[in-house]
């Protein structure tokens, strides 16, 4: 029962925080090459929220820029190039993102499991990388006016922070992803992850079907 109450309190905290940030957009902290969100292109996706991510199903060429040491005053960014594959699950009520990129800082493999909650009409984004091998704290949110905003509260290097993840500039063949941290309660944000995806036309993200043994 105690575990359930703690989980309920955490979910309510994230929900109220997300509502407040949607209503009052915070200032983005100028750090390195960080930039405030650019105006999003309207997304011509179905109005049913469970299909919010349908635009992203497929294979994409990814250019990733990552701030090497967030929340330290550093302005050192590293860049990667590679591929992202997004597969639909449960007829769009979930999807699996697989990212694989390379750059001077090394090789990176990551995935994101996105799950739609039909009761709250919100999505949870669950991120993991191959180094940790475990899912992190999910960001929670929804799409509004052509862009998606997702938030969570977690601990980073012993400090309590807020995390914001934004999906914007959505077109049929491109989209932009941006992650930012705040260590002052959401008053200012430092962008630390910028990915630009360009769709690779003609490549399917479908998972090959295996023929059962003996058939």
């Amino acid at each position: 029962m105690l575990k359930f109450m703690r989980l309920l309190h955490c979910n309510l905290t994230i929900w109220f925080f997300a509502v407040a940030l949607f209503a009052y957009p915070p200032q983005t902290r100028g750090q390195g090459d960080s930039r405030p969100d650019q105006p999003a292109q309207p997304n011509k996706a179905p109005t049913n929220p469970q299909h919010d991510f349908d635009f992203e199903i497929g294979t994409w060429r990814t250019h990733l820029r990552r701030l090497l040491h967030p929340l330290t005053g550093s302005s050192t960014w590293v860049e990667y190039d590679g591929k992202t594959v997004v597969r639909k699950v449960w007829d769009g009520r979930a999807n699996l993102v697989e990212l694989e990129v390379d750059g001077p800082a090394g090789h990176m493999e990551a995935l994101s499991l996105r799950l739609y909650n039909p009761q709250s009409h919100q999505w949870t984004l669950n991120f993991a990388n191959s180094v940790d091998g475990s899912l992190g704290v999910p960001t929670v949110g929804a799409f509004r006016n052509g862009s998606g905003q997702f938030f969570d509260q977690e601990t980073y290097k012993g400090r309590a922070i807020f995390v914001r993840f934004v999906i914007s500039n959505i077109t049929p063949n491109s989209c932009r992803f941006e992650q930012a941290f705040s260590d002052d309660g959401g008053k200012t944000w430092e962008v630390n992850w910028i990915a630009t995806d360009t769709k690779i036309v003609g490549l399917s993200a479908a998972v090959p079907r295996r023929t059962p043994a003996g058939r």
Side-chain angles (χ1 to χ4, degrees), residues 109-186:
E109 292 181 73
L111 64 80
S112 179
L113 176 62
R114 300 157 169 169
L115 302 170
Y116 177 68
N117 185 323
Q119 280 73 47
S120 66
H121 304 292
Q122 292 180 311
W123 288 84
T124 57
L125 278 50
N126 305 270
F127 182 83
N129 63 61
S130 59
V131 175
D132 298 328
S134 61
L135 293 173
V137 178
T139 53
V140 182
F143 282 82
R144 298 186 181 184
N145 300 320
S147 66
Q149 295 193 44
F150 308 86
F151 300 89
D152 77 62
Q153 183 177 5
E154 59 186 81
T155 301
Y156 177 75
K157 296 188 181 300
R159 302 161 68 180
I161 66 167
F162 289 133
V163 178
R164 181 185 69 191
F165 190 74
V166 177
I167 303 174
S168 63
N169 291 0
I170 300 170
T171 75
N173 295 305
S174 64
C175 50
R176 184 177 190 268
F177 305 86
E178 178 184 287
Q179 177 181 268
F181 290 170
S182 173
D183 59 359
D184 58 9

Side-chain angles (χ1 to χ4, degrees), residues 48-54 57 87-95 114-116 123:
N48 187 340
Q50 79 174 43
H51 294 290
D52 281 338
F53 281 102
D54 281 7
I57 305 304
R87 296 181 173 91
K88 182 186 293 189
V89 183
W90 297 343
D91 192 30
R93 289 175 289 125
N95 60 79
R114 300 157 169 169
L115 302 170
Y116 177 68
W123 288 84

